[in-house]
Amino acid sequence: SGSRGLGDVYKRQSESRPIEDQHWRTIGFLNAGVWISNEFEGGRVSDAWREGVDSFVVQLRPENAPVNNSAWYAFKVWTDTPRPIQVRLTYEDGTHRYWPESKRVGESWATMDSSDVRIDTVLHEATLTLDVGPDTLWVAGQEMMTSGFFDSWTEMLAERSFVSRSVAGTSGRGRPIYMLQFGEPGATRHVAIIGRQHPPEATGTMGLLGFVEA
C-alpha cells in the first residue's frame, strides 16, 4: 500500500537476503609501519589499502544493500613512528555523512578540527589528516556508545529500589534488548521512552541518558 515507508522496504529486503558480516581484522602495512583495525566493539572497516607514501584508504560497505544511508565507520590506527598520515574514507552503496570524532587512551571523544577534514562533495568521501604514533588513536562517525556501555548503564540504574530491568525482546542476531521500568509496579498509566534506533544517533542518546537519570 502507499502507506509503507522506506523502513518497511529495507526490512523486507533484509529478510530476503543474508547479512554479510564484516571481516574482523587488523590490517598491517609493514613497509609503512601503519596498522588499521576494526577489532573492537562497534568497529566498522570493510577493507583498507595503501595509496601513497603516507596515505591510506578505508572502505565502508553495508551488511547488505540498499540500506538507509547512515554509513557508520569506526577504526583504530597506530604507527611505529609519530607522524601525520592521511586516511580517505570511501563508501560502497553509501555516502559520507558524519563528521569524525577521535580519541586516545585516557581522553574523551572530541570533534576533529575542520583543518584536518576534507569533504569531497562530488565523490561523497572524506579525507582525514591524523597525527598518529605508537599510542592508539580511535576514529569514529560519532562518539561511541556501545552495547557494553548500555549494559552497564541499565545495570547501574536497576540497583535503585524503584527501577527494574528485564529483557523486552531480542535483536535479529539474538542479542538482548533491555527495558527499564520506573515507578510503581501496579501503575495503570505509562510513558515509553525509546532511543538509539540507529548507531550514529549519539546526540539524541546523550539527551535521553540525561533525561532518564534526572
Side-chain angles (χ1 to χ4, degrees), residues 14 17-22 24 44 63-64 169-177:
S14 295
R17 295 192 316 279
I19 290 175
E20 180 183 348
D21 287 317
Q22 70 171 343
W24 298 95
R44 184 71 187 180
E63 294 173 337
N64 54 27
T170 57
S171 70
R173 290 299 182 87
R175 300 185 181 96
I177 300 173

Side-chain angles (χ1 to χ4, degrees), residues 118-131:
R118 187 173 73 252
I119 307 296
D120 188 322
T121 57
V122 175
L123 297 177
H124 303 290
E125 301 177 344
T127 299
L128 316 180
T129 300
L130 306 174
D131 287 322

Side-chain angles (χ1 to χ4, degrees), residues 34-180:
V34 175
W35 289 263
I36 296 174
S37 176
N38 64 4
E39 294 188 279
F40 58 97
E41 187 182 21
R44 184 71 187 180
V45 169
S46 302
D47 203 357
W49 59 86
R50 187 181 184 186
E51 64 176 356
V53 176
D54 272 327
S55 60
F56 303 85
V57 177
V58 165
Q59 186 183 57
L60 291 312
R61 297 191 297 268
E63 294 173 337
N64 54 27
V67 294
N68 180 32
N69 187 24
S70 295
W72 173 253
Y73 61 91
F75 60 92
K76 56 184 181 181
V77 55
W78 63 94
T79 59
D80 55 1
T81 58
R83 66 187 191 275
I85 66 170
Q86 289 194 330
V87 174
R88 181 165 62 92
L89 304 178
T90 182
Y91 300 84
E92 182 179 304
D93 294 305
T95 60
H96 182 79
R97 290 187 62 187
Y98 302 109
W99 196 271
E101 305 268 331
S102 65
K103 72 179 291 289
R104 289 184 170 85
V105 175
E107 297 179 353
S108 300
W109 287 94
T111 303
M112 285 188 57
D113 191 272
S114 58
S115 62
D116 294 325
V117 181
R118 187 173 73 252
I119 307 296
D120 188 322
T121 57
V122 175
L123 297 177
H124 303 290
E125 301 177 344
T127 299
L128 316 180
T129 300
L130 306 174
D131 287 322
V132 288
D135 293 334
T136 301
L137 176 70
W138 277 264
V139 179
Q142 293 278 9
E143 177 176 336
M144 296 192 65
M145 304 171 75
T146 62
S147 297
F149 167 83
F150 287 106
D151 288 347
S152 299
W153 181 71
T154 54
E155 286 180 353
M156 175 194 70
L157 291 178
E159 293 176 356
R160 304 183 185 187
S161 60
F162 57 91
V163 181
S164 63
R165 186 177 89 148
S166 59
V167 176
T170 57
S171 70
R173 290 299 182 87
R175 300 185 181 96
I177 300 173
Y178 291 109
M179 174 176 67
L180 293 175

